[in-house]
Amino acid sequence: MDPSETGILAATETLRKIARVVSDRDSSAPNLSFATAVLAGLEDDEQFNAGYGSALQADGQPRLSAALMDGDSLSFSGVISVSDVQNPSRLALKLQKSSSRVLTEPGATRLARKLGFPPANLITEERFQRWLEQREKNSPDGFDTVGVVLSRDGLVAGTSTGGRGFEVPGRVSDSATVAGNYASTFAAISLTGIGEQIVDFGVAVRIETRVRDGLSLEEACRRTFNEAVALGHEYGWIAADRKGNWCIAHTTDHMTFLIKTLSGQELASSSSR
């Protein structure tokens, strides 16, 4: 995502538009379907590092990951390293009731073709130019992820990403793991940031466990945030609990987000550290 003020404002406005469209169109949809519709809207917009316009790995190819988790059934599903599926979140949704609920290649793409997902060219001109620049510098492109947590007669978490950018081909992010995406009947959490740090610290399940063990969502997030700062970690998260409480936290310079109540009220849209 463009880190400039103009880019942040554009991303925030896009979040508002997607939330309104999905709320109007899918208000009665099951929680997982509703969350997937939000993720797919973000994956379709090239300003986000998910779906169309995702970051490219060192060999110039996009490899996307996405995951969904239903808190009531404790069912986690995800896809890893798909290269030509514009909405990996929709593919992850199809895996919710499968006996194999997390797929990488070649199984993920084979399933996509079997289900009728059309092959998609996900490389935009802007992203390709950024890849050329990173090739000269031999350095990562940054890290961005899109996510959604839903507290509406049950908790759901969904996360989708194009990865870090210019990483080793085949590198797996945290987004399709329970470290970066987790939901139970106690809390739902979705993360963005440096995936290796998120996995090392098991951030999503760490927050959920603290809520399960009796801390309030705010207390659980505050303790986890303080630990992240002490370790010098760079990531952020959105979280909600079964009472409808929410939490936004990030150790990065900024994180764009939107909180929308069932009544349609927008409570926040952006945050800088």
Side-chain angles (χ1 to χ4, degrees):
M1 187 182 69
D2 181 358
S4 68
E5 182 176 356
T6 300
I8 293 171
L9 290 174
T12 301
E13 184 56 32
T14 300
L15 291 180
R16 290 194 180 103
K17 289 179 180 177
I18 291 172
R20 290 168 187 162
V21 168
V22 175
S23 295
D24 290 343
R25 186 189 62 206
D26 302 302
S27 60
S28 61
N31 282 354
L32 279 173
S33 297
F34 187 96
T36 303
V38 174
L39 288 177
L42 296 166
E43 290 165 344
D44 289 341
D45 193 304
E46 64 181 281
Q47 68 185 303
F48 300 106
N49 179 21
Y52 180 63
S54 285
L56 307 180
Q57 295 192 339
D59 61 354
Q61 293 299 311
R63 291 182 178 89
L64 285 55
S65 296
L68 292 162
M69 187 161 186
D70 180 79
D72 286 339
S73 63
L74 290 179
S75 177
F76 181 99
S77 61
V79 293
I80 297 171
S81 294
V82 293
S83 297
D84 65 352
V85 177
Q86 183 159 321
N87 297 125
S89 62
R90 294 195 186 280
L91 191 55
L93 179 62
K94 295 292 187 181
L95 288 167
Q96 267 289 307
K97 298 186 184 303
S98 171
S99 60
S100 301
R101 286 189 276 113
V102 181
L103 291 182
T104 185
E105 297 299 2
T109 296
R110 288 177 179 172
L111 178 64
R113 300 292 92 84
K114 179 180 178 180
L115 294 174
F117 285 66
N121 178 9
L122 307 178
I123 304 176
T124 64
E125 180 62 30
E126 178 181 352
R127 187 62 76 174
F128 180 68
Q129 290 302 320
R130 288 173 64 176
W131 178 79
L132 290 176
E133 294 171 6
Q134 296 306 314
R135 187 174 63 171
E136 292 295 320
K137 300 176 183 177
N138 193 30
S139 63
D141 191 18
F143 41 85
D144 282 319
T145 298
V146 300
V148 57
V149 294
L150 187 64
S151 176
R152 185 188 66 164
D153 297 325
L155 290 163
V156 165
T159 309
S160 181
T161 188
R164 188 170 58 200
F166 210 75
E167 64 265 61
V168 173
R171 176 255 183 186
V172 176
S173 77
D174 65 285
S175 296
T177 76
V178 295
N181 186 87
Y182 195 77
S184 69
T185 57
F186 293 90
I189 306 100
S190 173
L191 278 105
T192 178
I194 298 180
E196 284 73 13
Q197 294 176 352
I198 294 169
V199 170
D200 287 347
F201 212 47
V203 181
V205 289
R206 179 178 293 258
I207 294 170
E208 189 275 343
T209 299
R210 285 174 165 164
V211 175
R212 179 188 294 268
D213 286 347
L215 291 185
S216 69
L217 182 68
E218 180 181 0
E219 291 169 331
C221 289
R222 187 180 303 279
R223 183 174 296 185
T224 307
F225 174 81
N226 289 340
E227 291 168 341
V229 171
L231 290 167
H233 284 182
E234 295 183 65
Y235 45 72
W237 63 83
I238 54 175
D241 67 15
R242 57 185 174 185
K243 298 177 182 177
N245 299 312
W246 55 269
C247 175
I248 304 294
H250 58 97
T251 64
T252 52
D253 290 337
H254 76 272
M255 189 169 76
T256 303
F257 63 88
L258 179 73
I259 298 166
K260 193 176 181 69
T261 67
L262 290 176
S263 65
Q265 180 184 9
E266 294 177 359
L267 299 178
S269 59
S270 186
S271 174
S272 297
R273 190 180 177 192

